[in-house]
Amino acid sequence: MSQRVLVVDDDPAQRRILEEVIKRFGYETRSATSGDQAIEILERPDHAINLVLLDLVMPGTDGMAVLKRLAGKPGTPPVIMQTAHGSIDHAIGA
């Protein structure tokens, strides 16, 4: 089975760009448009996600809230945070 990357971003253009780049490297993608949707996918016991690309700033449940919700749960894949609105405080917090 191929490795699967979950792309979480509320911006549809950014999400599609990331998905296409990831597919060119030979990985499967799954996408979520919100933090709530990402949590729903990752809390399923059969999620089969190997890596998460997670946007920090999203309406509703943002990237930090997703990290807090999933912290320490067994089976949670590695997470790479990304944002266009970053700061040193956000980076340290993540």
Side-chain angles (χ1 to χ4, degrees):
M1 177 166 56
S2 182
Q3 299 288 306
R4 184 173 294 146
V5 178
L6 176 62
V7 178
V8 186
D9 201 314
D10 61 312
D11 181 330
Q14 182 67 22
R15 201 171 50 246
R16 282 193 299 272
I17 290 167
L18 287 168
E19 289 171 345
E20 288 306 314
V21 170
I22 291 164
K23 286 177 185 177
R24 287 184 186 177
F25 282 103
Y27 299 97
E28 292 181 18
T29 62
R30 179 127 191 229
S31 64
T33 60
S34 69
D36 289 329
Q37 190 177 23
I39 290 168
E40 179 183 320
I41 291 167
L42 292 167
E43 286 186 338
R44 291 184 195 147
D46 61 342
H47 62 70
I49 302 296
N50 303 99
L51 177 70
V52 180
L53 290 179
L54 179 62
D55 188 16
L56 177 64
V57 180
M58 296 182 284
T61 303
D62 66 4
M64 289 302 289
V66 172
L67 280 180
K68 287 177 186 172
R69 175 82 178 258
L70 298 174
K73 289 191 176 185
T76 299
V79 177
I80 297 173
M81 295 290 289
Q82 63 175 6
T83 186
H85 312 282
S87 71
I88 292 174
D89 289 338
H90 282 124
I92 290 170

mmCIF file of all heavy atoms in Angstrom, residues 51-68:
data_model
loop_
_atom_site.group_PDB
_atom_site.id
_atom_site.type_symbol
_atom_site.label_atom_id
_atom_site.label_comp_id
_atom_site.label_asym_id
_atom_site.label_seq_id
_atom_site.Cartn_x
_atom_site.Cartn_y
_atom_site.Cartn_z
ATOM 1 N N LEU A 51 1.176 10.882 7.208
ATOM 2 C CA LEU A 51 1.706 12.215 7.451
ATOM 3 C C LEU A 51 0.576 13.218 7.270
ATOM 4 O O LEU A 51 -0.288 13.026 6.433
ATOM 5 C CB LEU A 51 2.834 12.541 6.456
ATOM 6 C CG LEU A 51 3.438 13.943 6.535
ATOM 7 C CD1 LEU A 51 4.259 14.107 7.815
ATOM 8 C CD2 LEU A 51 4.294 14.226 5.313
ATOM 9 N N VAL A 52 0.608 14.287 8.079
ATOM 10 C CA VAL A 52 -0.398 15.347 7.971
ATOM 11 C C VAL A 52 0.299 16.665 7.656
ATOM 12 O O VAL A 52 1.249 17.040 8.347
ATOM 13 C CB VAL A 52 -1.200 15.501 9.290
ATOM 14 C CG1 VAL A 52 -2.243 16.606 9.165
ATOM 15 C CG2 VAL A 52 -1.848 14.182 9.681
ATOM 16 N N LEU A 53 -0.165 17.343 6.610
ATOM 17 C CA LEU A 53 0.233 18.724 6.334
ATOM 18 C C LEU A 53 -0.918 19.584 6.813
ATOM 19 O O LEU A 53 -2.016 19.531 6.256
ATOM 20 C CB LEU A 53 0.473 18.949 4.840
ATOM 21 C CG LEU A 53 1.694 18.288 4.251
ATOM 22 C CD1 LEU A 53 1.779 18.585 2.755
ATOM 23 C CD2 LEU A 53 2.958 18.749 4.936
ATOM 24 N N LEU A 54 -0.695 20.345 7.864
ATOM 25 C CA LEU A 54 -1.773 21.026 8.578
ATOM 26 C C LEU A 54 -1.597 22.537 8.554
ATOM 27 O O LEU A 54 -0.568 23.048 9.001
ATOM 28 C CB LEU A 54 -1.781 20.518 10.022
ATOM 29 C CG LEU A 54 -2.801 21.087 10.990
ATOM 30 C CD1 LEU A 54 -4.226 20.788 10.532
ATOM 31 C CD2 LEU A 54 -2.558 20.514 12.382
ATOM 32 N N ASP A 55 -2.609 23.227 8.040
ATOM 33 C CA ASP A 55 -2.600 24.687 8.035
ATOM 34 C C ASP A 55 -2.845 25.187 9.453
ATOM 35 O O ASP A 55 -3.682 24.651 10.181
ATOM 36 C CB ASP A 55 -3.693 25.195 7.090
ATOM 37 C CG ASP A 55 -3.644 26.693 6.861
ATOM 38 O OD1 ASP A 55 -2.622 27.332 7.170
ATOM 39 O OD2 ASP A 55 -4.645 27.230 6.354
ATOM 40 N N LEU A 56 -2.128 26.215 9.831
ATOM 41 C CA LEU A 56 -2.268 26.780 11.172
ATOM 42 C C LEU A 56 -3.535 27.626 11.302
ATOM 43 O O LEU A 56 -4.294 27.478 12.250
ATOM 44 C CB LEU A 56 -1.042 27.618 11.513
ATOM 45 C CG LEU A 56 -1.062 28.339 12.855
ATOM 46 C CD1 LEU A 56 -1.096 27.346 14.002
ATOM 47 C CD2 LEU A 56 0.140 29.250 12.978
ATOM 48 N N VAL A 57 -3.765 28.502 10.323
ATOM 49 C CA VAL A 57 -4.871 29.462 10.421
ATOM 50 C C VAL A 57 -6.032 29.008 9.542
ATOM 51 O O VAL A 57 -5.933 29.008 8.315
ATOM 52 C CB VAL A 57 -4.406 30.879 10.002
ATOM 53 C CG1 VAL A 57 -5.549 31.863 10.100
ATOM 54 C CG2 VAL A 57 -3.229 31.325 10.855
ATOM 55 N N MET A 58 -7.117 28.600 10.200
ATOM 56 C CA MET A 58 -8.354 28.208 9.519
ATOM 57 C C MET A 58 -9.514 28.691 10.373
ATOM 58 O O MET A 58 -9.383 28.801 11.591
ATOM 59 C CB MET A 58 -8.447 26.683 9.382
ATOM 60 C CG MET A 58 -7.387 26.062 8.519
ATOM 61 S SD MET A 58 -7.584 24.267 8.364
ATOM 62 C CE MET A 58 -6.979 23.717 9.965
ATOM 63 N N PRO A 59 -10.644 28.976 9.747
ATOM 64 C CA PRO A 59 -11.810 29.346 10.552
ATOM 65 C C PRO A 59 -12.283 28.154 11.399
ATOM 66 O O PRO A 59 -12.067 27.008 11.035
ATOM 67 C CB PRO A 59 -12.868 29.733 9.515
ATOM 68 C CG PRO A 59 -12.350 29.365 8.188
ATOM 69 C CD PRO A 59 -10.908 29.001 8.325
ATOM 70 N N GLY A 60 -12.889 28.445 12.515
ATOM 71 C CA GLY A 60 -13.361 27.370 13.393
ATOM 72 C C GLY A 60 -12.195 26.717 14.104
ATOM 73 O O GLY A 60 -11.378 27.382 14.734
ATOM 74 N N THR A 61 -12.090 25.412 13.978
ATOM 75 C CA THR A 61 -11.022 24.653 14.610
ATOM 76 C C THR A 61 -9.741 24.840 13.803
ATOM 77 O O THR A 61 -9.611 24.327 12.696
ATOM 78 C CB THR A 61 -11.402 23.161 14.687
ATOM 79 O OG1 THR A 61 -12.636 23.038 15.389
ATOM 80 C CG2 THR A 61 -10.340 22.352 15.391
ATOM 81 N N ASP A 62 -8.789 25.583 14.370
ATOM 82 C CA ASP A 62 -7.549 25.866 13.645
ATOM 83 C C ASP A 62 -6.523 24.753 13.868
ATOM 84 O O ASP A 62 -6.775 23.770 14.568
ATOM 85 C CB ASP A 62 -6.988 27.234 14.031
ATOM 86 C CG ASP A 62 -6.523 27.309 15.474
ATOM 87 O OD1 ASP A 62 -6.548 26.288 16.197
ATOM 88 O OD2 ASP A 62 -6.115 28.404 15.896
ATOM 89 N N GLY A 63 -5.351 24.920 13.260
ATOM 90 C CA GLY A 63 -4.314 23.896 13.348
ATOM 91 C C GLY A 63 -3.838 23.611 14.756
ATOM 92 O O GLY A 63 -3.577 22.467 15.113
ATOM 93 N N MET A 64 -3.712 24.641 15.581
ATOM 94 C CA MET A 64 -3.274 24.423 16.972
ATOM 95 C C MET A 64 -4.297 23.597 17.745
ATOM 96 O O MET A 64 -3.928 22.732 18.544
ATOM 97 C CB MET A 64 -3.025 25.757 17.671
ATOM 98 C CG MET A 64 -1.783 26.482 17.177
ATOM 99 S SD MET A 64 -0.266 25.527 17.343
ATOM 100 C CE MET A 64 -0.060 25.547 19.111
ATOM 101 N N ALA A 65 -5.579 23.850 17.506
ATOM 102 C CA ALA A 65 -6.621 23.072 18.181
ATOM 103 C C ALA A 65 -6.576 21.609 17.743
ATOM 104 O O ALA A 65 -6.794 20.704 18.558
ATOM 105 C CB ALA A 65 -7.992 23.675 17.914
ATOM 106 N N VAL A 66 -6.286 21.379 16.472
ATOM 107 C CA VAL A 66 -6.153 20.004 15.982
ATOM 108 C C VAL A 66 -4.978 19.327 16.692
ATOM 109 O O VAL A 66 -5.108 18.198 17.172
ATOM 110 C CB VAL A 66 -5.961 19.970 14.451
ATOM 111 C CG1 VAL A 66 -5.637 18.561 13.971
ATOM 112 C CG2 VAL A 66 -7.196 20.503 13.736
ATOM 113 N N LEU A 67 -3.845 20.014 16.769
ATOM 114 C CA LEU A 67 -2.679 19.442 17.459
ATOM 115 C C LEU A 67 -3.002 19.096 18.905
ATOM 116 O O LEU A 67 -2.640 18.024 19.390
ATOM 117 C CB LEU A 67 -1.511 20.424 17.431
ATOM 118 C CG LEU A 67 -0.681 20.509 16.165
ATOM 119 C CD1 LEU A 67 0.432 21.536 16.343
ATOM 120 C CD2 LEU A 67 -0.104 19.168 15.784
ATOM 121 N N LYS A 68 -3.658 20.007 19.601
ATOM 122 C CA LYS A 68 -3.993 19.760 21.012
ATOM 123 C C LYS A 68 -4.921 18.572 21.155
ATOM 124 O O LYS A 68 -4.773 17.765 22.080
ATOM 125 C CB LYS A 68 -4.636 21.008 21.614
ATOM 126 C CG LYS A 68 -3.649 22.119 21.840
ATOM 127 C CD LYS A 68 -4.328 23.364 22.368
ATOM 128 C CE LYS A 68 -3.325 24.513 22.446
ATOM 129 N NZ LYS A 68 -3.968 25.789 22.765
#
